[in-house]
Amino acid sequence: MTRERIPLDELRQRVAACHACPLADGRTNTVFGEGDPHARVLIVGEAPGKNEDLQGRPFVGAAGKYLDELLAIAGLAREDVFIANVLKCRPPGNRDPRPEEIQACVPFLREQTRTIDPEYIVTLGNFSTKFILKTDRGITGLHGQLHQAGRFKVFPIFHPAAALYDSKKREALENDFATLGEMLAREDAR
Ligand code: URA
């Protein structure tokens, strides 16, 4: 028997009420994610930063502005995709997520993925890629290639924040988003 999909609004309320790890104590807002609830592409980042915590929305800071540009390269706008993170609360000082925080939070991402049921999951950076692909391999060796996880096509890409500090990553990011756009267009044309 297949399990019922939990509506996104209900999941959002569960996230808002969550105290499963100590990150809940330091948050201003949870960041559930946003976008098309039936999106063909689910984008998965790492965790909210300062601006995201203040506004309760994903990717609204400098990395988010760049993500908008990258989406445009793939022929996409924010409203066309759903954007979520591995963690729904901000780690203090934007430190890396800890294994126990990931473990506490990922049931939400798992349910979001089941409910949205995208064709593609675009993982941004190491944390989301390792979780979705269940691998220890780093993003440098995985980005820009199509992988499969269950029924989902998974396309890992560097995290846009990485390019803010390393201009060489820009080219890889922009190429990978162009490839994503080509894959989407190719299948559209079928
Ligand atoms: N970085 C992320 O991984 N997610 C956000 O929402 C913002 C910055």
Side-chain angles (χ1 to χ4, degrees):
M1 218 173 66
T2 52
R3 238 175 352 111
E4 293 256 320
R5 291 182 182 160
I6 306 169
L8 287 186
D9 280 347
E10 188 181 329
L11 283 173
R12 186 187 296 277
Q13 285 171 25
R14 290 190 195 178
V15 166
C18 179
H19 283 269
C21 86
L23 293 183
D25 301 335
R27 73 185 175 216
T28 315
N29 289 293
T30 53
V31 179
F32 178 72
E34 64 186 23
D36 179 352
H38 306 291
R40 193 175 169 203
V41 180
L42 170 63
I43 309 260
V44 183
E46 182 177 312
K50 185 173 174 208
N51 293 297
E52 291 77 20
D53 171 70
L54 289 174
Q55 295 186 38
R57 297 181 54 214
F59 282 97
V60 290
K65 205 159 165 266
Y66 186 41
L67 178 60
D68 288 344
E69 290 174 32
L70 292 165
L71 286 170
I73 292 175
L76 295 166
R78 254 179 198 250
E79 312 77 73
D80 302 325
V81 299
F82 196 97
I83 305 178
N85 283 306
V86 174
L87 293 191
K88 311 305 190 208
C89 293
R90 181 191 181 206
N94 298 346
R95 64 157 169 74
D96 285 349
R98 293 183 175 151
E100 63 274 19
E101 294 160 355
I102 294 177
Q103 207 187 341
C105 210
V106 290
F108 292 126
L109 178 61
R110 217 175 270 130
E111 292 303 333
Q112 282 177 303
T113 306
R114 271 174 52 78
T115 301
I116 296 165
D117 197 23
E119 181 182 350
Y120 285 87
I121 303 177
V122 173
T123 54
L124 299 178
N126 268 315
F127 285 92
S128 59
T129 302
K130 286 184 175 175
F131 170 67
I132 299 281
L133 287 181
K134 307 278 178 269
T135 179
D136 282 330
R137 288 181 64 197
I139 184 74
T140 305
L142 294 170
H143 79 91
Q145 299 153 41
L146 198 57
H147 304 258
Q148 192 79 28
R151 64 179 184 281
F152 305 110
K153 293 171 186 156
V154 180
F155 195 62
I157 302 185
F158 283 119
H159 194 290
L164 301 177
Y165 311 106
D166 177 354
S167 59
K168 274 186 259 154
K169 297 237 165 79
R170 270 186 173 253
E171 197 180 332
L173 262 156
E174 291 168 17
N175 284 339
D176 289 352
F177 270 90
T179 303
L180 174 67
E182 284 158 19
M183 288 189 300
L184 291 168
R186 211 178 300 139
E187 286 166 33
D188 265 348
R190 270 198 211 155

